[in-house]
Amino acid sequence: MKLFISTLIFNGLLLGPVSAVAAPSQEPVPERPVTLDQTLEWSMQNEEGAAYRILISKPEGEVPYSGGYPVIYVLDANAYFASLHEAKRAQEQFRQAIIVGIAYPGEAPHNFLRRSYDLSPPVPEENNTPPQGGQDELLDFIEDRLMPAVAERFPVDTHHQSLYGHSFGGMFAIYALFTRPDLFNHLVAASPSLWWDDSYLLKHERDFRQQVEAGEANVIHHSLSLIVADHDSLQNQQDASQLYQRIEPLSAYGLRSSFYTVEGEDHMSVPFVLESRVLKQILGSRHG
């Protein structure tokens, strides 16, 4: 051990050593990755062999009176899972929920190529760069593989399953409502890209409205929340507002809808101020 010799000097005279002090330790401080309490992760593949990371925010507390926990499925979970999980845990009234993050392998917050395929409609070959058109493959994966896997591990309230997406994810959530209205009870679409592919969702919207009005689609206890940032593009804001105006009359058939603008935020920042609003919109909803 190295020692530092302390001496006492008085009037310029060296009076000799006073004490011996051990040198500061040079041992490095151990480091380890940060982990999120009350979470788990597993890997899955869809029918085509594409891999996903499934991130789970575990429920806390007793099983609700319904016999199962409400479930929130979150798209682009590499970016949005952690903050939503912590917002849930910090507020006692939300802790019974299960959050299921649909994430991609790797550490990037957004996997541009994978999400461009998973969340979009098919397009002509000459426009298929990057590859697009996987929206039904992803819905099949969620319905046929992911939901059963979650239900194997936890008691699930099958009447309270929700989907949350941002941008392309918001567009995908609306597509899910229009084409598979029985799959999710509550959908939250933040800054949805309704302009994509010449507003391709308009046709699906017309078909959905006709089905609801004809009694072929049951939307009682269902909801759609549309959220935009006030610094989103003007087209994004107008498209979402106009969709809300067209959908709102379906409240006569049981579908609740809402439109909200977040002040002071832009397209990329808005998801990170929405955690509590998303939880309230979904978990505060009454269900059958």
Side-chain angles (χ1 to χ4, degrees):
M1 178 184 295
K2 293 182 180 179
L3 299 179
F4 288 98
I5 307 300
S6 178
T7 60
L8 181 61
I9 300 177
F10 183 72
N11 287 338
L13 298 176
L14 180 64
L15 300 183
V18 174
S19 63
V21 181
S25 171
Q26 299 301 311
E27 293 294 325
V29 176
E31 297 180 356
R32 60 181 181 273
V34 174
T35 59
L36 297 175
D37 295 334
Q38 294 296 316
T39 63
L40 55 88
E41 175 179 348
W42 69 75
S43 298
M44 295 186 74
Q45 292 184 344
N46 66 8
E47 187 174 349
E48 292 72 29
Y52 294 90
R53 296 171 59 202
I54 304 304
L55 313 178
I56 303 293
S57 172
K58 295 190 293 186
E60 300 180 53
E62 296 181 358
V63 177
Y65 69 90
S66 61
Y69 297 106
V71 186
I72 305 172
Y73 290 86
V74 180
L75 302 167
D76 289 316
N78 299 68
Y80 306 133
F81 173 81
S83 59
L84 198 62
H85 162 73
E86 294 297 357
K88 183 201 86 167
R89 293 202 70 221
Q91 301 176 78
E92 187 173 357
Q93 69 268 34
F94 301 139
R95 289 180 188 167
Q96 287 182 317
I98 301 169
I99 297 176
V100 179
I102 303 172
Y104 300 112
E107 297 182 355
H110 292 92
N111 187 316
F112 175 74
L113 291 177
R114 288 290 305 275
R115 71 190 301 273
S116 293
Y117 182 77
D118 278 353
L119 306 176
S120 65
V123 294
E125 186 61 35
E126 61 269 19
N127 298 329
N128 198 33
T129 302
Q132 299 159 61
Q135 57 188 9
D136 284 309
E137 291 177 20
L138 180 54
L139 282 173
D140 288 344
F141 168 71
I142 294 172
E143 183 172 11
D144 299 335
R145 299 196 177 198
L146 181 53
M147 284 181 165
V150 174
E152 285 178 3
R153 291 165 171 83
F154 305 99
V156 167
D157 184 348
T158 57
H159 299 291
H160 204 318
Q161 302 197 86
S162 308
L163 180 64
Y164 167 48
H166 167 253
S167 193
F168 262 31
M171 176 181 76
F172 177 88
I174 295 169
Y175 175 77
L177 171 64
F178 289 165
T179 61
R180 306 193 193 191
D182 294 333
L183 192 56
F184 300 102
N185 306 95
H186 308 294
L187 301 106
V188 179
S191 298
S193 301
L194 298 175
W195 50 270
W196 186 255
D197 193 23
D198 295 326
S199 303
Y200 85 101
L201 283 174
L202 285 173
K203 177 186 181 302
H204 297 294
E205 178 191 334
R206 287 191 292 269
D207 293 343
F208 170 72
R209 292 177 61 188
Q210 290 172 4
Q211 291 171 8
V212 172
E213 291 167 353
E216 298 170 359
N218 183 3
V219 292
I220 296 175
H221 305 306
H222 284 56
S223 70
L224 172 63
S225 299
L226 297 164
I227 304 173
V228 296
D230 69 347
H231 294 306
D232 255 315
S233 71
L234 183 60
Q235 182 171 6
N236 255 26
Q237 296 181 60
Q238 290 177 340
D239 285 349
S241 174
Q242 291 167 4
L243 172 60
Y244 167 70
Q245 293 173 36
R246 295 192 302 270
I247 289 293
E248 198 277 332
L250 294 183
S251 63
Y253 300 88
L255 179 67
R256 291 180 293 103
S257 56
S258 63
F259 177 79
Y260 178 71
T261 300
V262 183
E263 296 184 359
E265 304 298 336
D266 60 31
H267 188 75
M268 294 307 297
S269 69
V270 70
F272 300 103
V273 298
L274 286 182
E275 291 88 353
S276 289
R277 174 168 286 273
V278 169
L279 293 170
K280 290 175 182 177
Q281 291 286 106
I282 292 174
L283 300 176
S285 302
R286 295 187 63 183
H287 55 285

